[in-house]
Amino acid sequence: MARTPLYKTAETEMIRRIRSGDWAVGLRLPNEFVLAEEFGVSQGTMRRALMSLEGMGYLDRKPGRGTLVADQDSVAAPPAPAACLRDITGEVPAFEVFRARALTRGADPAEADLFGTNRLSVLERTLRRDGARAGLDSVIMPEAILPALDEDAAVPLEDLLADSGLTSAAIEDQLSATVTSMSDSVALSCDRYTALLVLTRTARDRMGRPLARQTMRLIADGLTYGR
């Protein structure tokens, strides 16, 4: 089962308190250390949750004033469910890491043009689903942003970034299809020319600059992409 990041658990509970009125508009929240102790998480994890809620408009954080519960009239309505991968039951498939390798390397011309740098942090993984090898995953990002990627990082790109203390303003998805090469077939323990669904995800910051790109090449059997 896919794990829920700790900052998301804290974020969900804080949103519940705000929406229920337990935390009224204008309430000044305790500092990060006190909140972290209350929610049973680290101070860094609590900081990520607070930054996320600020970005959604639930909190107003200003130097000298602390963290206040914002006027809910300013909070935008929840967006429509994003398009995503789904299995034959309509559920979002859960992937786990089978093998992983983290490294740094030089960027190829297309990567250098995308990120504006010649050095990348890279995470290459073989993924499993329901106990069977299900896909090959590659995450790249500028080494200057994150010198090393964690081999145990979450598979969803937004969670991987959040666990690294980074927040994306938007994630763009591109979908294509291919078949396995000989090396792919060996890595995935599948037949040659097995159909693959290729999902390329690019995370960008608020200025539109790319933070990271994830390319997932997944065995297509039973997978769809949509809302």
Side-chain angles (χ1 to χ4, degrees):
M1 180 179 295
R3 66 190 179 94
T4 300
L6 289 177
Y7 90 98
K8 277 290 185 184
T9 302
E11 176 187 301
T12 299
E13 172 59 17
M14 287 191 284
I15 290 175
R16 185 200 66 77
R17 294 186 187 186
I18 292 170
R19 288 179 173 172
S20 68
D22 291 345
W23 284 359
V25 173
L27 175 70
R28 188 187 306 275
L29 300 185
N31 62 37
E32 290 175 357
F33 179 80
V34 174
L35 286 171
E37 186 174 13
E38 177 183 350
F39 284 85
V41 298
S42 69
Q43 191 171 353
T45 295
M46 178 52 62
R47 183 176 301 118
R48 293 173 196 168
L50 293 172
M51 290 172 62
S52 178
L53 290 185
E54 181 186 19
M56 288 187 282
Y58 285 103
L59 299 177
D60 183 13
R61 307 178 75 207
K62 293 184 178 179
R65 294 182 56 200
T67 300
L68 306 178
V69 176
D71 184 351
Q72 296 309 288
D73 289 340
S74 66
V75 179
C84 62
L85 288 170
R86 298 191 183 277
D87 61 23
I88 56 176
T89 68
E91 297 297 319
V92 176
F95 295 99
E96 60 181 13
V97 177
F98 175 58
R99 290 196 180 101
R101 180 178 68 145
L103 63 146
T104 58
R105 62 166 172 80
D108 66 29
E111 293 166 342
D113 184 59
L114 174 67
F115 291 109
T117 181
N118 291 317
R119 294 296 304 173
L120 299 175
S121 293
V122 180
L123 182 59
E124 297 175 344
R125 302 184 282 192
T126 302
L127 304 179
R128 290 192 300 193
R129 181 164 68 100
D130 298 329
R133 298 182 204 181
L136 302 171
D137 181 41
S138 174
V139 180
I140 59 174
M141 62 191 309
E143 188 179 20
I145 293 178
L146 194 65
L149 283 159
D150 184 358
E151 292 185 357
D152 296 322
V155 174
L157 183 57
E158 50 269 59
D159 293 343
L160 181 153
L161 291 172
D163 289 347
S164 300
L166 301 167
T167 302
S168 62
I171 295 182
E172 305 163 355
D173 287 356
Q174 291 183 323
L175 202 66
S176 60
T178 188
V179 295
T180 54
S181 64
M182 182 62 73
S183 60
D184 293 339
S185 301
V186 172
L188 294 174
S189 190
C190 66
D191 294 335
R192 181 76 167 89
Y193 303 118
T194 296
L196 297 178
L197 190 67
V198 183
L199 178 60
T200 302
R201 315 194 72 206
T202 304
R204 297 182 182 273
D205 64 16
R206 294 184 181 276
M207 301 298 292
R209 296 170 297 200
L211 290 172
R213 171 164 285 179
Q214 178 180 42
T215 302
M216 304 177 75
R217 293 182 292 146
L218 306 169
I219 294 177
D221 186 29
L223 288 182
T224 61
Y225 180 83
R227 287 182 171 81

